[in-house]
PDB file of all heavy atoms in Angstrom:
ATOM      1  N   GLU A 446     219.895 114.995  72.650  1.00 96.00           N
ATOM      2  CA  GLU A 446     220.647 115.807  73.596  1.00 96.00           C
ATOM      3  C   GLU A 446     219.838 116.072  74.867  1.00 96.00           C
ATOM      4  O   GLU A 446     220.353 115.950  75.986  1.00 96.00           O
ATOM      5  CB  GLU A 446     221.040 117.138  72.937  1.00 96.00           C
ATOM      6  CG  GLU A 446     221.926 118.004  73.827  1.00 96.00           C
ATOM      7  CD  GLU A 446     222.360 119.301  73.152  1.00 96.00           C
ATOM      8  OE1 GLU A 446     222.176 119.422  71.919  1.00 96.00           O
ATOM      9  OE2 GLU A 446     222.873 120.188  73.863  1.00 96.00           O
ATOM     10  N   LYS A 447     218.570 116.404  74.682  1.00 96.00           N
ATOM     11  CA  LYS A 447     217.707 116.689  75.830  1.00 96.00           C
ATOM     12  C   LYS A 447     217.489 115.429  76.676  1.00 96.00           C
ATOM     13  O   LYS A 447     217.486 115.477  77.905  1.00 96.00           O
ATOM     14  CB  LYS A 447     216.366 117.231  75.354  1.00 96.00           C
ATOM     15  CG  LYS A 447     215.469 117.753  76.469  1.00 96.00           C
ATOM     16  CD  LYS A 447     214.240 118.443  75.901  1.00 96.00           C
ATOM     17  CE  LYS A 447     213.389 119.034  77.014  1.00 96.00           C
ATOM     18  NZ  LYS A 447     212.193 119.737  76.465  1.00 96.00           N
ATOM     19  N   TYR A 448     217.345 114.282  75.997  1.00 96.00           N
ATOM     20  CA  TYR A 448     217.131 113.015  76.707  1.00 96.00           C
ATOM     21  C   TYR A 448     218.330 112.683  77.594  1.00 96.00           C
ATOM     22  O   TYR A 448     218.167 112.291  78.751  1.00 96.00           O
ATOM     23  CB  TYR A 448     216.897 111.891  75.689  1.00 96.00           C
ATOM     24  CG  TYR A 448     216.750 110.524  76.309  1.00 96.00           C
ATOM     25  CD1 TYR A 448     215.595 110.146  76.997  1.00 96.00           C
ATOM     26  CD2 TYR A 448     217.790 109.584  76.226  1.00 96.00           C
ATOM     27  CE1 TYR A 448     215.467 108.892  77.566  1.00 96.00           C
ATOM     28  CE2 TYR A 448     217.668 108.322  76.794  1.00 96.00           C
ATOM     29  CZ  TYR A 448     216.506 107.982  77.465  1.00 96.00           C
ATOM     30  OH  TYR A 448     216.388 106.735  78.043  1.00 96.00           O
ATOM     31  N   HIS A 449     219.550 112.862  77.081  1.00 94.00           N
ATOM     32  CA  HIS A 449     220.735 112.501  77.851  1.00 94.00           C
ATOM     33  C   HIS A 449     221.068 113.535  78.930  1.00 94.00           C
ATOM     34  O   HIS A 449     221.934 113.287  79.773  1.00 94.00           O
ATOM     35  CB  HIS A 449     221.926 112.281  76.914  1.00 94.00           C
ATOM     36  CG  HIS A 449     221.844 110.983  76.170  1.00 94.00           C
ATOM     37  ND1 HIS A 449     222.003 109.767  76.789  1.00 94.00           N
ATOM     38  CD2 HIS A 449     221.579 110.711  74.860  1.00 94.00           C
ATOM     39  CE1 HIS A 449     221.860 108.795  75.898  1.00 94.00           C
ATOM     40  NE2 HIS A 449     221.602 109.342  74.724  1.00 94.00           N
ATOM     41  N   GLN A 450     220.394 114.663  78.914  1.00 97.00           N
ATOM     42  CA  GLN A 450     220.544 115.632  79.997  1.00 97.00           C
ATOM     43  C   GLN A 450     219.713 115.231  81.223  1.00 97.00           C
ATOM     44  O   GLN A 450     219.929 115.754  82.315  1.00 97.00           O
ATOM     45  CB  GLN A 450     220.138 117.019  79.520  1.00 97.00           C
ATOM     46  CG  GLN A 450     221.149 117.672  78.577  1.00 97.00           C
ATOM     47  CD  GLN A 450     220.665 118.996  78.020  1.00 97.00           C
ATOM     48  OE1 GLN A 450     219.505 119.369  78.200  1.00 97.00           O
ATOM     49  NE2 GLN A 450     221.555 119.718  77.357  1.00 97.00           N
ATOM     50  N   LEU A 451     218.775 114.321  81.009  1.00 97.00           N
ATOM     51  CA  LEU A 451     217.960 113.845  82.127  1.00 97.00           C
ATOM     52  C   LEU A 451     218.807 112.991  83.066  1.00 97.00           C
ATOM     53  O   LEU A 451     219.782 112.366  82.648  1.00 97.00           O
ATOM     54  CB  LEU A 451     216.779 113.011  81.610  1.00 97.00           C
ATOM     55  CG  LEU A 451     215.772 113.685  80.683  1.00 97.00           C
ATOM     56  CD1 LEU A 451     214.749 112.658  80.198  1.00 97.00           C
ATOM     57  CD2 LEU A 451     215.071 114.846  81.371  1.00 97.00           C
ATOM     58  N   SER A 452     218.408 112.934  84.331  1.00 97.00           N
ATOM     59  CA  SER A 452     219.082 112.035  85.277  1.00 97.00           C
ATOM     60  C   SER A 452     218.687 110.595  84.945  1.00 97.00           C
ATOM     61  O   SER A 452     217.723 110.352  84.196  1.00 97.00           O
ATOM     62  CB  SER A 452     218.654 112.361  86.707  1.00 97.00           C
ATOM     63  OG  SER A 452     217.272 112.058  86.897  1.00 97.00           O
ATOM     64  N   LYS A 453     219.425 109.639  85.500  1.00 96.00           N
ATOM     65  CA  LYS A 453     219.095 108.227  85.276  1.00 96.00           C
ATOM     66  C   LYS A 453     217.665 107.937  85.721  1.00 96.00           C
ATOM     67  O   LYS A 453     216.923 107.217  85.040  1.00 96.00           O
ATOM     68  CB  LYS A 453     220.079 107.325  86.020  1.00 96.00           C
ATOM     69  CG  LYS A 453     219.684 105.839  85.959  1.00 96.00           C
ATOM     70  CD  LYS A 453     220.704 104.936  86.592  1.00 96.00           C
ATOM     71  CE  LYS A 453     220.153 103.534  86.827  1.00 96.00           C
ATOM     72  NZ  LYS A 453     219.533 102.923  85.658  1.00 96.00           N
ATOM     73  N   ARG A 454     217.268 108.470  86.849  1.00 97.00           N
ATOM     74  CA  ARG A 454     215.916 108.235  87.347  1.00 97.00           C
ATOM     75  C   ARG A 454     214.873 108.787  86.382  1.00 97.00           C
ATOM     76  O   ARG A 454     213.837 108.153  86.127  1.00 97.00           O
ATOM     77  CB  ARG A 454     215.740 108.871  88.735  1.00 97.00           C
ATOM     78  CG  ARG A 454     216.581 108.210  89.808  1.00 97.00           C
ATOM     79  CD  ARG A 454     216.414 108.864  91.169  1.00 97.00           C
ATOM     80  NE  ARG A 454     217.231 108.211  92.171  1.00 97.00           N
ATOM     81  CZ  ARG A 454     217.253 108.534  93.455  1.00 97.00           C
ATOM     82  NH1 ARG A 454     216.482 109.530  93.906  1.00 97.00           N
ATOM     83  NH2 ARG A 454     218.033 107.889  94.301  1.00 97.00           N
ATOM     84  N   GLU A 455     215.135 109.963  85.842  1.00 97.00           N
ATOM     85  CA  GLU A 455     214.199 110.566  84.897  1.00 97.00           C
ATOM     86  C   GLU A 455     214.125 109.763  83.606  1.00 97.00           C
ATOM     87  O   GLU A 455     213.039 109.572  83.051  1.00 97.00           O
ATOM     88  CB  GLU A 455     214.611 112.013  84.609  1.00 97.00           C
ATOM     89  CG  GLU A 455     214.404 112.958  85.776  1.00 97.00           C
ATOM     90  CD  GLU A 455     215.044 114.324  85.547  1.00 97.00           C
ATOM     91  OE1 GLU A 455     216.058 114.404  84.820  1.00 97.00           O
ATOM     92  OE2 GLU A 455     214.516 115.303  86.107  1.00 97.00           O
ATOM     93  N   ARG A 456     215.272 109.270  83.131  1.00 97.00           N
ATOM     94  CA  ARG A 456     215.281 108.471  81.896  1.00 97.00           C
ATOM     95  C   ARG A 456     214.543 107.146  82.098  1.00 97.00           C
ATOM     96  O   ARG A 456     213.733 106.738  81.256  1.00 97.00           O
ATOM     97  CB  ARG A 456     216.714 108.210  81.436  1.00 97.00           C
ATOM     98  CG  ARG A 456     217.444 109.433  80.918  1.00 97.00           C
ATOM     99  CD  ARG A 456     218.692 109.038  80.121  1.00 97.00           C
ATOM    100  NE  ARG A 456     219.627 108.253  80.896  1.00 97.00           N
ATOM    101  CZ  ARG A 456     220.607 108.757  81.639  1.00 97.00           C
ATOM    102  NH1 ARG A 456     220.767 110.082  81.717  1.00 97.00           N
ATOM    103  NH2 ARG A 456     221.434 107.977  82.305  1.00 97.00           N
ATOM    104  N   ASP A 457     214.840 106.470  83.204  1.00 97.00           N
ATOM    105  CA  ASP A 457     214.173 105.188  83.471  1.00 97.00           C
ATOM    106  C   ASP A 457     212.669 105.371  83.610  1.00 97.00           C
ATOM    107  O   ASP A 457     211.878 104.577  83.082  1.00 97.00           O
ATOM    108  CB  ASP A 457     214.746 104.552  84.740  1.00 97.00           C
ATOM    109  CG  ASP A 457     216.099 103.886  84.515  1.00 97.00           C
ATOM    110  OD1 ASP A 457     216.355 103.458  83.378  1.00 97.00           O
ATOM    111  OD2 ASP A 457     216.889 103.800  85.471  1.00 97.00           O
ATOM    112  N   SER A 458     212.270 106.413  84.315  1.00 98.00           N
ATOM    113  CA  SER A 458     210.837 106.674  84.511  1.00 98.00           C
ATOM    114  C   SER A 458     210.158 106.983  83.187  1.00 98.00           C
ATOM    115  O   SER A 458     209.028 106.540  82.931  1.00 98.00           O
ATOM    116  CB  SER A 458     210.641 107.842  85.487  1.00 98.00           C
ATOM    117  OG  SER A 458     211.210 107.539  86.746  1.00 98.00           O
TER     118      SER A 458
END
Side-chain angles (χ1 to χ4, degrees):
E446 184 178 347
K447 189 172 183 179
Y448 176 74
H449 285 290
Q450 287 175 351
L451 299 175
S452 67
K453 173 175 166 51
R454 293 179 180 183
E455 290 170 331
R456 290 196 302 271
D457 282 332
S458 300

